[in-house]
Amino acid sequence: MISDRKLEHLLLCTHSDVEYHKKTGFNHVELVHRAIPEVDQEEIDLSTSLLGKRIDAPIIITAITGGHPTSLEVNRKLARVAGKFKIGLGLGSQRAAVENPELASTYTVAREEAPDALLIGNIGAPQLEQAPQAAEMMDLDAMAVHLNALQEAIQPGGDLNTIGYLEKIQETALNLDMPVMAKETGAGISGNDAQLLEKAGVSAIDIAGAGGTSWAAVEKYRSKDKDMGELYWDWGISTAASLVEVSQSVNIPLISSGGIRNGLDAVKSLALGADAIGMALPVLKALEVGEKALDNFFDKFLREMKVAMFLVGATNLEDLQKADLVITGKTREWLKERGYNTKNYARRSSL
C-alpha cells in the first residue's frame, strides 16, 4: 500500500496541478543592483560545504521518490545528474524499504550512481523508530526527518497525533551516527519552531516554504473529501517569510526550498541567509522530458545564478550574504507583524 502511494504521489506531482496558488514571496525581495560590480563573472565561485561535504554549487535535489519499482530509474537518473554537477540529492521517505527490504534498491541505486555526492536519507517524524534501519540502508551523509502535518491532516488515514515528536527528534539526533536534518514538506517553518528544532539537536533545517508543491493539493486528488484539500491548498508560511524568520532565529545551516524555479530566486534565498537551496518538482518535470533536458535545466540554472551574483558584485557565496536587498509588500508586512527586522538587509554593504 505504501509503495502504491509513492507511485501515485509521483504521478500526481508530474501530471496534475499541485502547486500553491499563492506566491513564494521572492517577488517581494529586490536585490540592489550594482552599476559597477567589480566582478569577473567567469570567476564566480558557487562552491560550498554542507553537512560535512563539499559541493560545487549550493543546490540540493530535495526528496522526490523511492519505494516503488518505477522509482528506481528516477533515482538512478537523479543521482547521475547530482554526481555530474556535484550537488546534493535527497531521497524520498525510506519507510517503504524499511518495511519491505525488497524495495531497498530503489534508494541504494542513488549511492551506486553517485558515490561522492552529498546524499541525504529520509524518514517521517511518525516513523522515527525506523531511522536506524534507514541509516544503515546505504552510505548516507545525513538523515532528513520530514515534517508533513498538513499532508497528514488531509490525506486518507493520516497520522494525526504529533505529541512527543520533538522528544523523538532529539533522541534521533543524539543517537544516530550522522547529522540529522529537519525538513518541512511545503508549508514552511516558523522562527519559533526552528528554535525548538535547534535545541533538539538537529544539524540543519530545510524550511520548504509555501509556494511550491502543495501537499494538500496532492492529497485532494486522493481523498474522497475534495473540499478539505481545496480549503487548505494555500496553507503555510511563504518561503521568503519562513527563510527570514528561521535565519534570524537559529545558527545552524539552512536550506531554502519551496517554489524555487530559477537561479534568481536561488540567489535571493542565499542573500537572505540560506546556505543552500532545494528543488524537487521542476527537476522531476525536466527529467520527464529526458536526461538531456535535466542537464540543460541545471546548466541554465547555474548561469542564472551567476548573472544575479555578477549584478550584485558577489564573487562567492560569502560576498552574496553581504549584498544589499530590500523586502517589500506582503512579505515585509508579515515579517514586521511577527517582529522580524527587515531593514538590516537594505544597507549591509555600507556597514
Side-chain angles (χ1 to χ4, degrees), residues 133-183:
Q133 297 99 303
E136 292 169 3
M137 198 173 293
M138 73 201 86
D139 178 23
L140 296 170
D141 296 295
M143 178 63 66
V145 176
H146 71 256
L147 310 169
N148 62 335
L150 173 61
Q151 182 183 11
E152 298 288 359
I154 305 300
Q155 76 176 8
D159 291 293
L160 302 179
N161 183 358
T162 63
I163 295 173
Y165 276 12
L166 261 178
E167 183 179 353
K168 291 178 181 177
I169 290 171
Q170 186 171 24
E171 291 173 0
T172 303
L174 183 64
N175 296 319
L176 207 63
D177 191 23
M178 65 180 63
V180 171
M181 180 177 81
K183 172 183 169 44

Side-chain angles (χ1 to χ4, degrees), residues 152-292:
E152 298 288 359
I154 305 300
Q155 76 176 8
D159 291 293
L160 302 179
N161 183 358
T162 63
I163 295 173
Y165 276 12
L166 261 178
E167 183 179 353
K168 291 178 181 177
I169 290 171
Q170 186 171 24
E171 291 173 0
T172 303
L174 183 64
N175 296 319
L176 207 63
D177 191 23
M178 65 180 63
V180 171
M181 180 177 81
K183 172 183 169 44
E184 236 293 340
T185 52
I189 291 178
S190 70
N192 313 74
D193 281 344
Q195 289 177 337
L196 294 174
L197 289 165
E198 184 181 39
K199 289 177 182 177
V202 302
S203 298
I205 293 174
D206 181 348
I207 61 164
T213 301
S214 166
W215 283 95
V218 173
E219 296 300 343
K220 169 192 170 180
Y221 294 105
R222 299 183 60 245
S223 175
K224 293 180 181 179
D225 184 359
K226 306 298 183 185
D227 291 342
M228 193 69 76
E230 185 71 34
L231 179 63
Y232 287 95
W233 189 302
D234 277 339
W235 177 272
I237 308 168
S238 75
T239 303
S242 176
L243 177 56
V244 172
E245 285 207 17
V246 176
S247 67
Q248 291 190 20
S249 300
V250 301
N251 293 298
I252 54 178
L254 304 180
I255 298 161
S256 173
S257 67
I260 293 176
R261 299 292 183 258
N262 56 63
L264 177 55
D265 283 350
V267 168
K268 289 180 179 181
S269 290
L270 297 164
L272 284 169
D275 296 274
I277 66 94
M279 295 180 289
L281 188 61
V283 176
L284 187 60
K285 290 191 172 183
L287 180 57
E288 186 185 21
V289 179
E291 286 188 79
K292 180 63 175 175

